[in-house]
Amino acid sequence: MTIQPRRPVGDPVVLDDRERLSFRVDRRAYTDDDLAAAEMARIFDRCWLYVGHESEVPVAGSYVARDVGGRPVVMARGSDGVIRVFANSCPHRGALICTQPAGQARSFRCPYHDWTFSNRGDLVGVPIPDGYGPGFRKADFGLAQHRSDSYRGFVFVTFDPRQPRSLTGYLAGATEYLDLIDDQSEVGMEVIQGAQLHGARANWKLMMENSVDIYHFRALHKRYVGYMESLGSVPPRRRGGFGRALGLGHGANELPPAAARPLAYWTPMFGESVRPRIEATAARFVDRFGAARAERITHTNRALLIFPNLMIIDAIAITIRKIDPVGAGQMAITSVALAPRDEDPEIRELRKSHYLTFLGPAGFATPDDIEIVESCQRGYLNRAVRYSDLSRGMDKEVPETTDELPAREFWRQWDRLMHGDDGHLDLAHRAELQGADPR
């Protein structure tokens, strides 16, 4: 049996050598339980995290309940029309106050002791109130409200009361791409009802890398490429487009018209019958935004990564994909489709069909992606290979979509936050003290 040498205390996880054009990530970042626990404290407890879209709570009293950053929360539009994000936990004894994934309610009732809260989070009802002393005040026991904000309909929350950045400041260059997405409707965008909930036996960061990786498209998704070509359509070219680092861990890949050729997607996949309506919409966009911006909005495919765990894939259909860690070797994935609120009904049905055909859990692409990230996770069990390489395109002034710039931007922010003010020494040192191999 070969004994692997113990790694030195303080051994870095991300090796970013810009002079040698080398970017490597230690594979323990995907497998180490201590690192996974530290991510929750240093990243998910500190960053702005995506909760949902304003269209999911369209009227007063509507709500959605979901986990965000490992915490159960409720996003509710109160009777005053304001959207708030609450801890989904009764301040009395801690039970979930909302057990349904979505609905409409004037109030939330805790099933444990019937404490009742308004949809604005105020405690409004307590059974047998004379059991409490004179100092008991309902105002002291409202639902805990998290700091939240929205940009172009996308709602985010932070659990860090000292988070110094506003949401807009945190999003940095990603706002440009959220604008391009939201401007696709003349009256606003909406999440199509229904969500795909699934997972993978792999580290969450592998799916973040995969979702912004165009390099694998023709290699991994051969069945889909063949399907598109059998219809007479033109799949994305292997080369072309560009990747961008948008700051603070965010990144994007963009296929402009010359590379994407969008009408080739719509015809024959969407059919000639809807082509005149699509072209009429594009013409109106020229009047609204000018020719250059209209073309970018309507004729460009893009994949946007918002650090840490949100992907928006805008190609054929618009997919919002939230990827949550469940320990070091498992993830939970929530996917929904976004579309113009005023969309032609026939085009909407076609959009939904192609969303499921490609990006649905049983579609052409997603099973391939899940299988390959699980394959990577299993491959990491052989520790003879210590690093993964993400250096593709480091020698280019303008990296292409098949290069790995967005993934490097993600990892650089991951590394900064994981180091914090106390560096990376503590995790490796703790493993050494416990007699474990810090790999």
Side-chain angles (χ1 to χ4, degrees), residues 97-253:
I97 56 97
C98 187
T99 58
Q100 298 301 313
Q104 190 165 348
R106 295 177 60 184
S107 61
F108 300 108
R109 183 187 66 85
C110 176
Y112 200 173
H113 298 96
D114 270 350
W115 281 33
T116 305
F117 306 85
S118 75
N119 55 28
R120 299 168 65 170
D122 303 314
L123 177 61
V124 294
V126 177
I128 321 174
D130 58 1
Y132 293 97
F136 178 81
R137 300 189 319 141
K138 289 181 182 177
D140 296 334
F141 289 90
L143 295 176
Q145 183 174 338
H146 299 299
R147 179 182 170 191
S148 62
D149 201 355
S150 66
Y151 183 83
R152 299 302 296 265
F154 296 88
V155 181
F156 292 76
V157 66
T158 179
F159 302 122
D160 184 0
R162 296 175 295 179
Q163 167 59 249
R165 290 188 176 90
S166 66
L167 175 59
T168 303
Y170 176 85
L171 291 172
T175 58
E176 174 187 346
Y177 284 85
L178 292 176
D179 290 342
L180 291 169
I181 291 166
D182 195 58
D183 283 341
Q184 291 180 39
S185 172
E186 296 166 275
V187 299
M189 303 292 285
E190 65 179 2
V191 167
I192 299 174
Q193 187 174 5
Q196 285 76 51
L197 309 174
H198 57 101
R201 292 183 295 271
N203 187 273
W204 67 280
K205 298 184 291 297
L206 280 168
M207 188 58 79
M208 295 304 297
E209 293 174 358
N210 171 276
S211 298
V212 79
D213 181 310
I214 310 300
Y215 188 37
H216 76 267
F217 186 87
R218 281 182 173 266
L220 186 62
H221 302 312
K222 290 183 175 69
R223 291 180 308 143
Y224 186 66
V225 171
Y227 169 66
M228 293 175 73
E229 291 175 341
S230 73
L231 294 176
S233 189
V234 182
R237 297 175 182 175
R238 187 175 288 274
R239 305 293 300 271
F242 55 87
R244 292 181 62 189
L246 304 174
L248 299 179
H250 317 311
N253 275 320

Side-chain angles (χ1 to χ4, degrees), residues 3 14 23 29 32 48-49 56 71 87 94 110 140 203 207 217 227 252 272 279 293 303 308 361 365 385 391 414 418:
I3 304 298
V14 176
F23 193 100
D32 187 272
W48 284 94
L49 305 173
E56 295 181 88
R71 307 187 189 203
C110 176
D140 296 334
N203 187 273
M207 188 58 79
F217 186 87
Y227 169 66
E272 282 289 349
E279 292 177 338
R293 180 168 176 77
V385 182
S391 59
W414 183 93
M418 291 294 283

Side-chain angles (χ1 to χ4, degrees), residues 119-426:
N119 55 28
R120 299 168 65 170
D122 303 314
L123 177 61
V124 294
V126 177
I128 321 174
D130 58 1
Y132 293 97
F136 178 81
R137 300 189 319 141
K138 289 181 182 177
D140 296 334
F141 289 90
L143 295 176
Q145 183 174 338
H146 299 299
R147 179 182 170 191
S148 62
D149 201 355
S150 66
Y151 183 83
R152 299 302 296 265
F154 296 88
V155 181
F156 292 76
V157 66
T158 179
F159 302 122
D160 184 0
R162 296 175 295 179
Q163 167 59 249
R165 290 188 176 90
S166 66
L167 175 59
T168 303
Y170 176 85
L171 291 172
T175 58
E176 174 187 346
Y177 284 85
L178 292 176
D179 290 342
L180 291 169
I181 291 166
D182 195 58
D183 283 341
Q184 291 180 39
S185 172
E186 296 166 275
V187 299
M189 303 292 285
E190 65 179 2
V191 167
I192 299 174
Q193 187 174 5
Q196 285 76 51
L197 309 174
H198 57 101
R201 292 183 295 271
N203 187 273
W204 67 280
K205 298 184 291 297
L206 280 168
M207 188 58 79
M208 295 304 297
E209 293 174 358
N210 171 276
S211 298
V212 79
D213 181 310
I214 310 300
Y215 188 37
H216 76 267
F217 186 87
R218 281 182 173 266
L220 186 62
H221 302 312
K222 290 183 175 69
R223 291 180 308 143
Y224 186 66
V225 171
Y227 169 66
M228 293 175 73
E229 291 175 341
S230 73
L231 294 176
S233 189
V234 182
R237 297 175 182 175
R238 187 175 288 274
R239 305 293 300 271
F242 55 87
R244 292 181 62 189
L246 304 174
L248 299 179
H250 317 311
N253 275 320
E254 187 167 344
L255 280 169
R261 284 186 282 184
L263 288 179
Y265 285 109
W266 295 90
T267 308
M269 291 181 72
F270 273 25
E272 282 289 349
S273 65
V274 300
R275 182 170 181 148
R277 281 169 273 174
I278 294 170
E279 292 177 338
T281 299
R284 291 197 304 274
F285 277 39
V286 172
D287 295 336
R288 292 175 62 201
F289 300 109
R293 180 168 176 77
E295 183 176 64
R296 192 176 178 205
I297 292 170
T298 61
H299 288 64
T300 300
N301 297 330
R302 55 188 70 85
L304 171 64
L305 184 159
I306 296 181
F307 187 91
N309 67 327
L310 175 64
M311 282 299 312
I312 303 178
I313 303 169
D314 184 4
I316 303 178
I318 305 171
T319 302
I320 302 174
R321 178 184 287 173
K322 184 168 76 77
I323 302 164
D324 294 301
V326 184
Q330 192 168 341
M331 71 182 88
I333 303 170
T334 304
S335 295
V336 297
L338 188 73
R341 192 181 305 149
D342 57 341
E343 189 163 50
D344 178 283
E346 183 180 358
I347 296 175
R348 169 66 63 89
E349 290 305 310
L350 290 166
R351 179 190 296 274
K352 288 159 60 177
S353 172
H354 293 298
Y355 163 72
L356 292 172
T357 298
F358 183 60
L359 289 165
F364 277 99
T366 298
D368 293 340
D369 293 328
I370 290 174
E371 182 178 12
I372 205 66
V373 297
E374 290 183 344
S375 174
C376 291
Q377 192 77 18
R378 285 184 54 80
Y380 294 161
L381 296 176
N382 189 327
R383 299 186 180 185
V385 182
R386 178 173 170 181
Y387 296 102
S388 290
D389 183 86
L390 290 92
S391 59
R392 183 177 173 85
M394 286 185 76
D395 61 335
K396 298 178 184 177
E397 184 175 349
V398 181
E400 298 181 53
T401 56
T402 52
D403 296 323
E404 293 162 334
L405 176 61
R408 289 193 293 273
E409 177 66 16
F410 170 91
W411 276 108
R412 285 168 179 147
Q413 181 69 357
W414 183 93
D415 201 41
R416 286 189 289 265
L417 291 179
M418 291 294 283
H419 283 186
D421 296 329
D422 55 355
H424 53 260
L425 216 80
D426 56 344

